[in-house]
Amino acid sequence: ALGVTYHLGVDGLSVPLVFLTTLLTTLGLYYSTKVIKHRVREFFLLFLLLETGMIGVFVALDFVLFYVFWEIGLVPMYFLIGIWGQEKDRPQYSAIKFFLYTLAGSVAMLLAILGVYFDTGTFDIVQAAQLRPFSGNLTLASLAFWGFTLAFAIKVPTWPFHTWLPDAHTAAPTAGSVVLAGILLKLGAYGLIRISLPIFPEAASRWAPVIVALGVISIVYGAFVCMAQTDLKRLIAYSSVSHMGYVTLGVGAAAFALRLDRPGIMDSAAMALNGAALQMFNHGIITGGLFFLVGVIYERAHTRDLERFGGLSAKLPYFYGIMMVTGFASLGLPGLAGFWGEFFVFRGAFDIVRVWAAIGVIGIVVTAAYILWRIIQSVFLGEYDPHKIAHWTNLANGNESHEPVDMLTFEKVTLWPLVAFMILFGIYPTPILELFNQATTALVSGL
């Protein structure tokens, strides 16, 4: 009666993200079987409900369906943070902050959905992209564009809408942090590429400088804030603000290309979008790995304070090796997955918004600094001091020990697939890039 249909579909943009969702959810569930000790059934029920919502967003091709799935993921995440979060990190405060931020964006998106429906007469995302709602009225198109984009920017999270993220990440249980960083942030970036850009090309082109500026500020600001952190989990949370800024920059550059009329500019737009999509996937794998690694050390030391560690490379060589690979992938070392997404974004953006792209490069330098200095040096290098942490928990038997115990089999099994993808897509990104390229070239030619 409302004209809402159960319309699902996937293309080159959706398929890798659906795969990423199922991969990280499976690893998160496997890891949680070993570390979640209270209200276990409720935890897994909520986790699977969260997966339903996340996959639904990536496959929904009807606005109302998209909105329903978008909201479904909100409730389980709220409870996962509020009930299973670490008490000293104010989990209830963090959960309500996450809930209110996301809900505020959702209300703006709902108004924009209604506006599109009354202008086009359809809730179908594919039809709406063909009909171009408000194409003759830039003011209304801009309002609808910002209704969607505000919801997506909060989820990404783009500066200045990012303040819910460090609190939510820090308080969430390990698997919750992995899914929050690895997938939930991608819902916003996916919405920018799937809805904001193709449905409102005129408005996107008009406001492209703002999108580009927000992306670059996120990159540089997020990286500098990481340098000041003493909590390992909070540091990685802020690194997500910086790394997702590359996605925003890529989308903004593609929108800005519509203003320019010169040969090859749309190729650069497609490259920037490819980079944004590749960064989404790679960030999910790399940051998911980093949050699992924080969980590994927290379960032993019961602290994440970087000042309390040091010299652990001699005591935990396996943990050190996995952290080195994951950290280097995060800073964009060539040969590991993190490099290609950033490279494509900058290759596209330098041709379209050169000055902004040049400023964004600062973020890469600062990222290398905080990964090497704040994480690798603080935690692993130097002399090991047994007095900094009085008692380590031996996960194998649950007793206290005076020496840290290296990674157990279940922790290694959790991280092996992620490390394998970091290396595989660092050396040979072609299979996933071809999927993304099909979607982005079709999108750009449609613009």
Side-chain angles (χ1 to χ4, degrees):
L2 288 169
V4 180
T5 53
Y6 193 75
H7 183 190
L8 308 178
V10 291
D11 63 355
L13 180 62
S14 312
V15 170
L17 295 172
V18 171
F19 170 73
L20 178 69
T21 306
T22 50
L23 173 70
L24 288 180
T25 305
T26 306
L27 295 176
L29 290 170
Y30 172 69
Y31 180 86
S32 298
T33 56
K34 310 291 185 181
V35 296
I36 297 295
K37 302 293 187 231
H38 73 289
R39 301 178 75 169
V40 176
R41 282 176 300 181
E42 291 96 324
F43 180 89
F44 287 100
L45 183 144
L46 289 168
F47 214 87
L48 290 167
L49 181 61
L50 178 62
E51 183 186 19
T52 305
M54 294 184 301
I55 293 178
V57 169
F58 293 135
V59 299
L61 289 175
D62 180 278
F63 276 122
V64 176
L65 202 58
F66 182 90
Y67 185 79
V68 167
F69 280 128
W70 181 273
E71 294 294 270
I72 281 175
L74 195 56
V75 177
M77 199 70 223
Y78 170 79
F79 286 118
L80 287 172
I81 296 170
I83 297 173
W84 289 274
Q86 278 112 19
E87 271 309 316
K88 62 179 183 181
D89 297 315
R90 301 189 297 168
Q92 285 83 18
Y93 165 81
S94 303
I96 201 83
K97 192 173 181 182
F98 160 75
F99 195 94
L100 291 175
Y101 256 91
T102 312
L103 202 61
S106 301
V107 170
M109 179 162 71
L110 186 59
L111 290 171
I113 288 171
L114 291 172
V116 169
Y117 174 72
F118 286 123
D119 190 69
T120 61
T122 181
F123 282 120
D124 192 282
I125 293 175
V126 181
Q127 287 180 16
Q130 293 164 349
L131 294 169
R132 295 281 163 84
F134 309 119
S135 54
N137 188 329
L138 188 59
T139 306
L140 288 176
S142 296
L143 284 171
F145 170 79
W146 278 110
F148 281 110
T149 304
L150 178 66
F152 301 147
I154 289 171
K155 205 81 160 187
V156 166
T158 303
W159 179 92
F161 310 111
H162 67 284
T163 56
W164 64 268
L165 180 94
D167 290 326
H169 270 321
T170 311
T174 297
S177 293
V178 168
V179 168
L180 193 56
I183 309 159
L184 274 176
L185 308 189
K186 311 303 174 292
L187 303 186
Y190 174 81
L192 289 174
I193 299 174
R194 173 69 76 221
I195 292 175
S196 294
L197 199 53
I199 293 180
F200 306 103
E202 294 91 348
S205 166
R206 169 73 179 79
W207 296 103
V210 179
I211 305 295
V212 169
L214 291 177
V216 172
I217 293 169
S218 297
I219 293 169
V220 179
Y221 168 84
F224 274 112
V225 172
C226 284
M227 295 287 282
Q229 300 306 309
T230 56
D231 183 311
L232 182 55
K233 204 173 188 184
R234 208 170 177 84
L235 186 153
I236 294 166
Y238 273 112
S239 80
S240 293
V241 176
S242 179
H243 284 114
M244 291 304 289
Y246 296 111
V247 180
T248 313
L249 171 61
V251 175
F256 198 93
L258 300 175
R259 295 168 157 231
L260 308 173
D261 185 21
R262 65 170 190 263
I265 195 71
M266 295 321 278
D267 285 346
S268 294
M271 283 186 192
L273 276 180
N274 276 336
L278 198 55
Q279 178 72 358
M280 286 158 65
F281 184 87
N282 290 337
H283 175 265
I285 283 173
I286 294 164
T287 307
L290 285 171
F291 276 115
F292 275 129
L293 289 163
V294 174
V296 167
I297 197 71
Y298 183 78
E299 292 293 333
R300 286 158 173 73
H302 302 291
T303 180
R304 297 183 302 260
D305 186 354
L306 291 166
E307 311 296 329
R308 302 279 297 279
F309 296 115
L312 289 184
S313 57
K315 300 289 180 183
L316 306 171
Y318 202 100
F319 178 70
Y320 177 45
I322 300 256
M323 181 66 95
M324 286 286 279
V325 173
T326 314
F328 283 143
S330 183
L331 65 80
L333 189 74
L336 293 168
F339 170 72
W340 291 111
E342 294 171 14
F343 182 78
F344 271 89
V345 167
F346 281 115
R347 161 61 185 88
F350 259 102
D351 193 30
I352 301 166
V353 282
R354 189 155 295 169
V355 175
W356 282 110
I359 297 169
V361 172
I362 297 168
I364 294 181
V365 179
V366 183
T367 301
Y370 72 71
I371 294 283
L372 293 171
W373 176 52
R374 297 303 297 162
I375 299 181
I376 304 296
Q377 185 172 319
S378 296
V379 178
F380 297 104
L381 304 183
E383 286 295 315
Y384 173 70
D385 182 354
H387 302 295
K388 281 187 175 177
I389 295 171
H391 294 289
W392 294 83
T393 299
N394 185 344
L395 286 188
N397 55 28
N399 298 328
E400 288 185 346
S401 63
H402 293 292
E403 291 286 314
V405 179
D406 211 348
M407 291 175 73
L408 302 180
T409 305
F410 83 92
E411 294 166 330
K412 294 176 183 176
V413 170
T414 304
L415 280 148
W416 282 337
L418 300 177
V419 172
F421 279 118
M422 286 175 218
I423 296 168
L424 173 67
F425 289 137
I427 296 168
Y428 188 64
T430 310
I432 192 166
L433 203 53
E434 283 179 342
L435 278 171
F436 284 137
N437 193 50
Q438 289 169 12
T440 53
T441 47
L443 192 154
V444 166
S445 62
L447 296 178

